[in-house]
Amino acid sequence: MQTIFRVLRERTRHDFSHYKSSTFKRRIDRRMAIHAIPTVGEYADFLLHNSQEVDLLFKEVLIGVTNFFRDAAVWKHLETEVVPELMARRSAEHGLRAWVIGWSSGEEAYSLAIVLTEAMQRLPMAHEFSLQIFASDLSPDAISVARRGIYPLSIREEISEARLARFFSAHETHYQISKKIRDMVLFALHDVLLDPPFTRLHLVACRNLMIYLGAPLQRRLVPLFHYSLRPGGVLLLGTAESVGRFNSLFTPINSKLRTY
């Protein structure tokens, strides 16, 4: 396993040695099965002589499962309570900055962009208010997909007809999110554990990333989120995550829905 971690780190610069071992091992097992390699040691040797397989393992590790407005109760809470309150307090600044971390193929970032746009347009001086969303991920492939903003017709099961009509263009084989929403989101290749964080933010959304990390990495991330946010800013985590022992840094808005 240490050889596998080293080869990945040398090839991609990303260190997976502190990721949850059970999750990481499942991804390795899948690659071993594809190549009919019986042991981890033999697979490590295979990686040493096959850079293409290193790239494929890297992609395998980064595969995420998501959809638009995942966890409907969370998005309803954001839409009706968190975002209106946040914008009411920030309207004097005429802008709001958010950071979405580990957004897979873009659905999470675009969901937030839609909710923020709807809330902004209810402000008295909406035309003077600006929105900027930074969306970061480790995967170049995910960034490419997200920037195109093209999604299968099945998203109609996740998004209301009103939002589909307003924020998407329908095509024979797919939907594409509107250019106005795409332009609102800056997608960046970025490792939250290695690269300097975005700062002076009003909202940070990092949902279902920390569940893949070991405790030492989780303990690094929560203070980093605090550093990135302005006073009074909002942190949104996944439904199986929390701020842990850092209660002095964050006050719960809704503990069940992981907003702080």
Side-chain angles (χ1 to χ4, degrees):
M1 290 298 290
Q2 291 304 315
T3 299
I4 294 172
F5 292 140
R6 177 174 58 81
V7 171
L8 275 170
R9 186 169 60 248
E10 291 174 353
R11 178 76 175 175
T12 71
R13 85 182 180 99
H14 302 297
D15 185 357
F16 293 99
S17 60
H18 294 293
Y19 278 55
K20 284 192 175 176
S21 58
S22 57
T23 301
F24 194 84
K25 182 63 165 55
R26 281 197 299 271
R27 304 299 169 90
I28 291 176
D29 289 343
R30 174 175 154 78
R31 297 305 306 170
M32 289 169 55
I34 288 171
H35 294 290
I37 295 176
T39 70
V40 174
E42 289 176 85
Y43 182 69
D45 290 338
F46 181 60
L47 285 177
L48 287 170
H49 301 95
N50 193 324
S51 59
Q52 182 180 15
E53 177 62 19
V54 179
D55 294 338
L56 291 172
L57 175 60
F58 178 59
K59 292 179 181 180
E60 182 79 31
V61 172
L62 298 184
I63 288 174
V65 178
T66 189
N67 51 267
F68 284 95
F69 302 104
R70 184 182 186 184
D71 302 319
V74 173
W75 288 99
K76 192 67 176 176
H77 176 55
L78 278 180
E79 178 186 347
T80 59
E81 299 181 45
V82 176
V83 169
E85 168 69 16
L86 185 60
M87 284 195 168
R89 289 189 279 114
R90 299 301 173 187
S91 59
E93 300 175 11
H94 302 293
L96 187 145
R97 288 160 51 92
W99 182 15
V100 181
I101 304 166
W103 36 261
S104 189
S105 47
E107 293 93 334
E108 189 95 343
Y110 287 137
S111 296
L112 181 61
I114 289 170
V115 167
L116 292 179
T117 297
E118 291 173 337
M120 177 191 71
Q121 292 176 347
R122 291 192 288 267
L123 295 174
M125 304 291 285
H127 63 283
E128 296 182 3
F129 198 90
S130 65
L131 296 173
Q132 186 172 31
I133 299 173
F134 304 101
S136 64
D137 201 274
L138 297 182
S139 170
D141 291 343
I143 288 177
S144 178
V145 170
R147 283 175 175 162
R148 290 195 300 271
I150 293 174
Y151 298 98
L153 296 176
S154 58
I155 66 168
R156 61 171 66 114
E157 300 172 10
E158 307 162 6
I159 305 172
S160 68
E161 290 186 12
R163 280 175 168 164
L164 279 174
R166 183 177 179 187
F167 297 110
F168 292 80
S169 58
H171 301 266
E172 185 176 347
T173 59
H174 63 272
Y175 285 100
Q176 183 169 32
I177 199 157
S178 69
K179 187 176 186 301
K180 181 177 181 180
I181 296 295
R182 293 202 310 273
D183 289 347
M184 189 186 303
V185 184
L186 175 64
F187 293 103
L189 190 64
H190 180 279
D191 186 334
V192 67
L193 295 165
L194 292 178
D195 299 318
F198 296 95
T199 57
R200 297 183 57 77
L201 303 163
H202 302 101
L203 187 150
V204 169
C206 184
R207 303 179 69 223
N208 305 313
L209 169 63
M210 291 203 297
I211 58 174
Y212 296 108
L213 306 179
L217 295 186
Q218 293 182 18
R219 289 194 293 269
R220 282 175 54 188
L221 280 184
V222 176
L224 182 145
F225 298 151
H226 183 267
Y227 172 78
S228 296
L229 285 162
R230 300 186 187 200
V234 172
L235 174 64
L236 174 63
L237 297 178
T239 53
E241 300 165 335
S242 74
V243 296
R245 66 186 185 185
F246 295 103
N247 295 319
S248 61
L249 301 182
F250 289 98
T251 301
I253 299 172
N254 185 314
S255 297
K256 181 180 178 181
L257 300 179
R258 302 299 194 262
T259 49
Y260 302 87

